[in-house]
Structures are given as C-alpha cells and as structure tokens.
Amino acid sequence: MLESDEAVFVARADAQRIVSAGVRLGARLPAHASATGRVLLAGLPDDQVDAVLERADLRASTPNTLTSVAEIRERVRRARTEQMAYTDEELELGMRTMAVPVRDSQGRVRAAMSVAAFTARISLPAMKATFAPILREHAERLGRML
C-alpha cells in the first residue's frame, strides 16, 4: 500500500526456497524506485506523482537504478497503461520484480500485488509471460473483497 512516498508491504507469502527473494512484512521501499510503488503511483493523478518525484531521493542503489525524473515518470505512465510495473536489478542486483494494481469496486488503485525473483532463475520476458496473468487474477480476486 502507498504510505507517504513509500510502498509498504502489509502481507506476504513465501515460496519454498532456501533463500528468500522477497521483502519482509512491514518493509518500505521508495515508491519511485519499486515495481509496487510505480503501480501505486500510476493510480494517482499526474500532479500527485510529480509531487512524489520532486521529494524523492533519486540516488542509485545499483547501476540499473533509474535516477531521471523523466524516466521514472515514463515508467509510471507505462504502468498506468499496461496495468503492470517491473524492475530489473534496479533496487538490488540479481533481483527482478513485477507488480500489478489491486483495484476496489470503483476501480481505484488501493494496493498492489507483486512478485520478486532472482535474475538467474527467470528472464524478464518469461517473468511477464508467466507471472503477470497469475498476479492479475489474484489481484482482481482481492480487489473484489475491498
């Protein structure tokens, strides 16, 4: 969920792996730099997105981190159009993430649902093809409960 300028993780499910690829419950990620955050920002009007980006600390975490307001704004717009956002080693090397919006009965973005995977396990195109339909199905189901 979006709180201030951060995506806050309020629920989580783990895959049966030796090493976890996800963030802990209660973790906060900068909205501008995370797939979850970009999907949540995509649900806001452009002026509110711009306000978040004006306040954001755009320092790079990895060589792939987007640090340009224009690039981030474009990713948020793309998330709005595609109903999905992703990161590819932007917050942490070796990690890819994907998120979709969770909409309430009036179509408002209330939350996001995401998945994280190690880059060695799956390519971004395969992640989009495999995980996006499942995420969308579960996000729609959750949204109907809101």
Side-chain angles (χ1 to χ4, degrees):
M1 301 188 80
L2 190 62
E3 185 175 290
S4 299
D5 297 343
E6 298 174 309
V8 180
F9 288 76
V10 298
R12 165 185 169 97
D14 285 316
Q16 295 299 317
R17 300 265 182 235
I18 294 171
V19 178
S20 173
V23 295
R24 72 187 187 294
L25 194 60
R28 295 172 173 272
L29 296 176
H32 73 278
S34 62
T36 303
R38 290 177 189 159
V39 163
L40 294 168
L41 290 175
L44 299 176
D46 285 338
D47 61 327
Q48 290 181 25
V49 172
D50 288 341
V52 169
L53 296 180
E54 285 175 23
R55 294 187 297 266
D57 178 358
L58 300 180
R59 281 183 284 181
S61 305
T62 76
N64 297 337
T65 303
L66 299 182
T67 57
S68 156
V69 169
E71 286 179 309
I72 297 165
R73 189 180 293 123
E74 176 54 33
R75 284 285 192 88
V76 170
R77 285 190 182 128
R78 190 180 316 163
R80 197 176 284 151
T81 302
E82 296 177 357
Q83 298 298 298
M84 178 185 68
Y86 65 89
T87 64
D88 195 2
E89 299 188 282
E90 294 171 43
L91 279 176
E92 185 175 337
L93 291 175
M95 294 300 303
R96 291 190 172 104
T97 62
M98 176 186 308
V100 299
V102 175
R103 296 181 177 280
D104 65 16
S105 60
Q106 276 107 43
R108 294 176 300 209
V109 175
R110 299 292 298 267
M113 190 172 284
S114 66
V115 63
F118 293 112
T119 56
R121 287 197 162 274
I122 191 165
S123 69
L124 188 58
M127 193 174 183
K128 287 179 179 180
T130 305
F131 297 157
I134 296 165
L135 278 176
R136 286 186 172 122
E137 175 187 336
H138 289 282
E140 184 179 321
R141 189 178 302 162
L142 179 60
R144 283 194 302 264
M145 292 186 239
L146 298 177

